[in-house]
């Protein structure tokens, strides 16, 4: 793989752990209330008026027959009046979800999956042009145009569904003061580094739709994610989007939601492809929605030569061809448990991108040469957009590609990573040994070049 080197400012090291989110009755709005997803036979006005006796309605999802509500804790219990109501088919928890973050030019993460071979400067001419990528996350920082070309972000289609309690569903505000969504977007589109150099993304020609479904603290609810999925699916269904569409969800919770699965299936029926991170819970298993079989899920891998050769190691060449010996599986990347499905691995360790850790709500117009705007992040959150970007390349080649077909191509062309271990350098002058089994690897590390070549 060809390396494209440049002098860059030192990047600060940051590692964030995603929250473990087991569902216990979480209070919402007022004392004694919990969030729930109520399945009903219809979502008409009479039904909604009837449901109001149990609590307030946040979202209505007529496409899948669910209503997101805040209800009394006693109505969430078996045998409650709500569960026994003849208009109610089921009551499930509205689980809390969180970001899956653990910790021009080509960085190691794009190089190791052969992205440079499919961009216009490479052997093949694909960069995601004509493909829409909906990033369901924390939004984009206010100065996102410092990092991304304005033409590559469909800001007019950006929406916020992150807080039905505090805001209006469908609000055009997608401002990100967390920076997670901005970092994820940078992996897909690439980014400007201090205005001095530009680093490649996996699909720099794609058009990103920022959909804010997580709060600025990096967490949200199943219902907000469902609202975002259905919003994008209906843009496709109604012909607002004139090209293929793929959703990226670098987020998840510890339990699956039947309403969320229904929304995913609805979106897939509209022709929308869906990628999600596997989670950062290691041996505890995958998060949802990534664990659903319908979703293309991404675990996190790293390069064995991380932090070898100084602090600019991330710009150095990854030998071509990539071999299994070049790759390790991170310890935080969620392992596949029975009933869960891990599809592929992608770079998710020490990935550089814009991240305004010091006050994203009021960033400087341009902090040229001042540290604090770019960070290494690690997590399956970082792996997922590599997969999503690769899917965008496949859709540019074949706009009619289905979810099942894209998943099959990624699986069949991935570099198999056998169970094993690797000792890797750290930024602190020490080493760390990682060990993994077959439940951590899926079908292996994605190869963008091979996947494009194999796409019919």
């Amino acid at each position: 793989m060809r390396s494209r080197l440049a002098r860059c400012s030192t990047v600060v090291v940051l590692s964030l752990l995603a929250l473990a989110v087991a569902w216990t009755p979480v209070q919402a709005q007022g004392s004694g209330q919990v969030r729930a997803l109520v399945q009903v036979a219809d979502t008409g006005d009479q039904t909604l008026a009837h449901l109001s006796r149990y609590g307030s309605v946040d979202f209505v999802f007529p496409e899948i027959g669910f209503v997101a509500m805040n209800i009394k804790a006693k109505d969430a219990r078996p045998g409650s009046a709500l569960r026994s109501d003849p208009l109610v088919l089921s009551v499930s928890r509205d689980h809390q979800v969180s970001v899956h973050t653990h910790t021009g030019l080509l960085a190691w993460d794009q190089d190791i999956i052969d992205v440079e071979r499919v961009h216009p400067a490479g052997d093949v001419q694909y960069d995601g042009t004509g493909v829409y990528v909906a990033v369901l996350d924390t939004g984009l920082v206010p100065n996102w145009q410092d990092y991304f070309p304005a033409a590559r972000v469909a800001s007019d289609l950006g929406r916020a569904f992150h807080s039905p309690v505090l805001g209006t569903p469908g609000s055009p505000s997608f401002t990100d003061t967390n920076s997670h969504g901005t970092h994820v977007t940078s992996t897909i589109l690439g980014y400007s580094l201090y205005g001095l150099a530009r680093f490649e993304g996996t699909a720099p020609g794609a058009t990103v739709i920022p959909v804010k479904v997580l709060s600025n603290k990096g967490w949200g609810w199943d219902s907000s994610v469902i609202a975002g999925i259905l919003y994008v699916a209906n843009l496709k269904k109604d012909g607002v989007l004139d090209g293929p569409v793929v959703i990226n969800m670098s987020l998840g919770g510890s339990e699956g939601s039947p309403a969320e699965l229904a929304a995913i299936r609805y979106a897939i029926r509209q022709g929308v492809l869906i990628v999600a991170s596997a989670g950062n819970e290691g041996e505890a298993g995958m998060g949802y929605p990534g664990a659903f079989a319908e979703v293309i899920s991404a675990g996190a891998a790293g390069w064995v030569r991380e932090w070898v050769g100084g602090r600019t190691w991330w710009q150095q060449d990854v030998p071509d061809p990539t071999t299994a010996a070049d790759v390790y599986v991170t310890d935080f990347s969620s392992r596949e448990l029975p009933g869960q499905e891990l599809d592929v691995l992608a770079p998710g360790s020490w990935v550089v991108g814009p991240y305004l850790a010091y006050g994203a709500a009021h960033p400087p117009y341009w902090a040229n040469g001042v540290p604090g705007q770019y960070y290494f992040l690690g997590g399956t959150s970082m792996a997922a957009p590599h997969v999503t970007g690769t899917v965008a390349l496949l859709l540019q080649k074949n706009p009619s590609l289905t979810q099942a077909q894209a998943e099959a191509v990624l699986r069949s062309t991935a570099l198999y990573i056998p169970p094993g271990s690797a000792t890797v350098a750290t930024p602190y002058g020490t080493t760390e040994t990682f060990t993994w089994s077959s439940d951590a690897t899926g079908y292996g590390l994605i190869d963008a070049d091979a996947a494009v070549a194999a796409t019919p």
Side-chain angles (χ1 to χ4, degrees), residues 18 37 47 49 58 64 79 110 125 141 161 186 197 235 250 254 272 277 288 381 391-392 404 409 416 438:
L37 289 160
T47 299
D58 286 337
I64 57 175
Q110 304 292 348
Q125 304 293 305
V141 293
F161 299 96
S186 74
L235 287 179
S250 290
S254 60
V272 176
S277 51
Y288 292 87
S381 277
V391 170
V409 167
Y416 172 64
S438 58

Side-chain angles (χ1 to χ4, degrees), residues 155-379:
S155 57
D156 58 322
L157 297 177
R159 292 292 184 273
F161 299 96
H162 70 289
S163 180
V165 176
L166 300 176
T168 302
S171 164
S173 174
F174 52 84
T175 298
D176 175 17
T177 61
N178 177 282
S179 285
H180 184 271
T182 303
H183 196 287
V184 167
T185 298
S186 74
T187 294
I188 298 166
L189 294 181
Y191 57 93
S192 171
L193 186 71
Y194 293 123
L196 302 175
R198 180 155 195 87
F199 274 81
E200 289 274 7
T202 312
T207 300
V208 164
I209 303 172
V211 182
K212 187 177 179 71
V213 298
L214 300 176
S215 72
N216 290 326
K217 293 184 178 180
W219 62 271
W221 302 93
D222 285 339
S223 54
S224 300
V225 176
I226 292 166
I229 293 171
L230 294 178
Y231 168 67
V232 175
N234 287 328
L235 287 179
K236 176 67 172 174
K237 174 178 175 288
D238 296 340
V240 176
L241 303 180
D242 56 359
V245 185
V246 55
I247 287 175
N248 184 91
M249 290 187 284
S250 290
L251 51 81
S254 60
E255 297 184 54
S257 161
E260 186 173 52
L261 180 56
I264 289 168
R265 288 172 172 168
Y266 174 83
I268 291 172
R269 289 197 301 272
Q270 310 315 315
V272 176
L273 279 63
I274 300 180
V275 175
S277 51
N280 302 331
E281 303 305 323
E283 299 293 342
M286 295 174 66
Y288 292 87
F292 288 130
E294 287 83 351
V295 172
I296 299 172
S297 55
W303 181 29
V304 296
R305 290 191 60 79
E306 292 169 355
W307 296 102
V308 175
R311 297 188 69 85
T312 58
W313 67 268
W314 61 285
Q315 302 170 54
Q316 297 179 24
D317 184 30
V318 177
D320 188 13
T322 302
T323 66
D326 296 318
V327 180
Y328 73 92
V329 182
T330 67
D331 55 356
F332 59 78
S333 185
S334 287
R335 274 54 174 166
E336 180 184 76
L337 297 180
Q340 299 182 336
E341 187 170 283
L342 176 60
D343 291 307
V344 290
L345 299 175
S349 174
W350 303 112
V351 176
V352 177
Y355 194 87
L356 303 183
Y358 304 123
H362 303 285
Y365 169 71
W366 186 256
N368 189 17
V370 179
Q373 286 195 303
Y374 303 86
Y375 278 72
F376 289 102
L377 293 187

